[in-house]
Every structure is written in structure tokens, then in C-alpha cells.
């Protein structure tokens, strides 16, 4: 059996259409204060908590201090990733300065330089598993997973062949050194709250 470029494009278009169909009703039915995303074809909703938002805000403020208020930093915005029916809404992600939306008016995962996800109890398995794998497959250079339940940050870098080759675990309060990545900064975590 021969697979041609056209077949892959048609399959990708089919996946995008299915994702669109899954997301469309979510815009109307997801209750205020909840976030919904599609991970491997399954819809997951999680409540937004104070602790969750405080961590996102702390990371966001450091990114904005380094890259400016006009930088392309998004929160809870749909981002389609490699794999079957993966439409995530990362807690926070930074795009390259040159990033532009695609023909469907969506950001491209190929332009993402950094993703930060804050663990929710009900969706932690996704963050540590399927989502990490999709970010690695999409060659997102830096994936930071923040776990307010354990007080730890898990840093994944050097994506290659669908997996992250470097992983580091740090306690809240320890700086997250990203100076050797595309971000070129160190994130301070000493103000991260715990759940």
C-alpha cells in the first residue's frame, strides 16, 4: 500500500473537521469558570481555580517582563496538535514573533516556543501523558508542567522523535532555568501557591 502526500493532507483535514465538530457545541455549553479541550478525541472539562490562575498569572507576568506586552502569549486558546483529534487549550503558550494564524484563523503548533500547563486533579493524567506526548511530537521546545498539589515543576525540553529527551523536576521556590532555551530567561517560582 502506498500513502501519498494527498492522503495525509486529506486525513489531517478530516481530523480538523472532526475537531471543529467536537468544539462547536462546547462554545455554548461549557459553564463559566470551566475550561474544555479535546485530548485524543475525548472531551475534558476542568474548573478554573484561584491557585491555577495565580500560577498562570505569575508566569505570564515574567514572560511579559521579558518579551513585552505585544508578544504573542496566549491563554486557554485552542491549539491543534499532532495525533488523532488533539485540540488543546493550554493554560499559557508563547508563540514566536513571526507566528501568523493559518487559513483557518488558528495558531500553528509549529510556531509555539513554550507551553505551561498547571495540573488539575481530574486531568493530570493528560498533562503528564497524552498532552506531553503531543507537545513532544509537535516539537514544542519547552513544556513546563506545574503541579500545585505536589509543589513541583516538571520541565521538558529537547523534543526529538516524538519524545522529550531532557526532563528536570524542581520544587516550588527553585528557579526554572530556561536560559539555554529559545526563551533565554529564568522563571521565578517562589510565589507559586499550593493546593
Amino acid at each position: 500500500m502506498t500513502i501519498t502526500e494527498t492522503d495525509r493532507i486529506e486525513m489531517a483535514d478530516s481530523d480538523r473537521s472532526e475537531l471543529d465538530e467536537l468544539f462547536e457545541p462546547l462554545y455554548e455549553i461549557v459553564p463559566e469558570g470551566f475550561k474544555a479541550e479535546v485530548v485524543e478525541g475525548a472531551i475534558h472539562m476542568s474548573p478554573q481555580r484561584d491557585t491555577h490562575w495565580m500560577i498562570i498569572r505569575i508566569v505570564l507576568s515574567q514572560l511579559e517582563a521579558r518579551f513585552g506586552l505585544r508578544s504573542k502569549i496566549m491563554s486557554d486558546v485552542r491549539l491543534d496538535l499532532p495525533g488523532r483529534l488533539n485540540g488543546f487549550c493550554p493554560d499559557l503558550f508563547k508563540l514566536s514573533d513571526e507566528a501568523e494564524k493559518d487559513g483557518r484563523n488558528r495558531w500553528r503548533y509549529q510556531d509555539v516556543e513554550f507551553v505551561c500547563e498547571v495540573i488539575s486533579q481530574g486531568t493530570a493524567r493528560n498533562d503528564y501523558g497524552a498532552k506531553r506526548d503531543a507537545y513532544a511530537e509537535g516539537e514544542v521546545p519547552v513544556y513546563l508542567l506545574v503541579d500545585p498539589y505536589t509543589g513541583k515543576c516538571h520541565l521538558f525540553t529537547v523534543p526529538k522523535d516524538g519524545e522529550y529527551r531532557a526532563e528536570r523536576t524542581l520544587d516550588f521556590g527553585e528557579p526554572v532555568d530556561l536560559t539555554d532555551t529559545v526563551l533565554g530567561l529564568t522563571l521565578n517560582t517562589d510565589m507559586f501557591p499550593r493546593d
Side-chain angles (χ1 to χ4, degrees):
M1 178 174 171
T2 303
I3 299 175
T4 66
E5 188 70 25
T6 304
D7 291 335
R8 281 182 267 158
I9 291 169
E10 287 172 4
M11 183 180 295
D13 286 343
S14 171
D15 283 356
R16 281 190 212 117
S17 294
E18 284 184 67
L19 270 174
D20 290 345
E21 289 175 20
L22 287 169
F23 266 99
E24 196 57 40
L26 294 179
Y27 297 124
E28 296 178 22
I29 65 169
V30 174
E32 186 174 331
F34 279 76
K35 172 175 117 171
E37 56 190 355
V38 180
V39 180
E40 296 182 326
I43 297 170
H44 296 269
M45 284 195 297
S46 57
Q48 300 291 56
R49 301 171 333 276
D50 292 348
T51 300
H52 192 96
W53 170 241
M54 290 292 292
I55 292 169
I56 294 166
R57 196 180 95 206
I58 291 166
V59 174
L60 174 62
S61 67
Q62 292 179 69
L63 291 175
E64 287 179 339
R66 167 73 169 87
F67 297 104
L69 294 175
R70 293 187 184 269
S71 56
K72 295 175 181 168
I73 302 171
M74 307 295 152
S75 179
D76 291 337
V77 173
R78 178 176 163 185
L79 183 67
D80 295 347
L81 282 124
R84 178 93 171 107
L85 298 177
N86 283 323
F88 304 161
C89 298
D91 291 323
L92 199 63
F93 65 97
K94 183 192 177 302
L95 296 148
S96 68
D97 291 340
E98 302 78 32
E100 293 184 14
K101 290 187 174 183
D102 65 16
R104 299 171 70 97
N105 201 31
R106 293 206 184 89
W107 295 110
R108 298 169 357 110
Y109 70 85
Q110 296 92 334
D111 296 323
V112 174
E113 296 178 334
F114 169 79
V115 170
C116 177
E117 295 278 14
V118 180
I119 295 291
S120 293
Q121 284 183 326
T123 60
R125 185 179 356 194
N126 290 336
D127 293 321
Y128 283 108
K131 290 174 77 173
R132 181 200 59 217
D133 295 346
Y135 292 135
E137 182 69 30
E139 297 186 356
V140 172
V142 181
Y143 174 39
L144 179 64
L145 187 55
V146 181
D147 190 334
Y149 301 102
T150 63
K152 296 191 183 306
C153 296
H154 303 277
L155 177 64
F156 301 92
T157 58
V158 193
K160 184 177 180 186
D161 299 328
E163 65 183 21
Y164 283 106
R165 300 297 173 99
E167 178 181 345
R168 188 163 177 221
T169 300
L170 302 131
D171 292 323
F172 282 15
E174 292 182 79
V176 179
D177 184 359
L178 302 172
T179 55
D180 63 345
T181 72
V182 66
L183 295 179
L185 69 105
T186 299
L187 288 174
N188 187 336
T189 67
D190 62 353
M191 291 179 61
F192 283 6
R194 292 191 60 169
D195 258 345

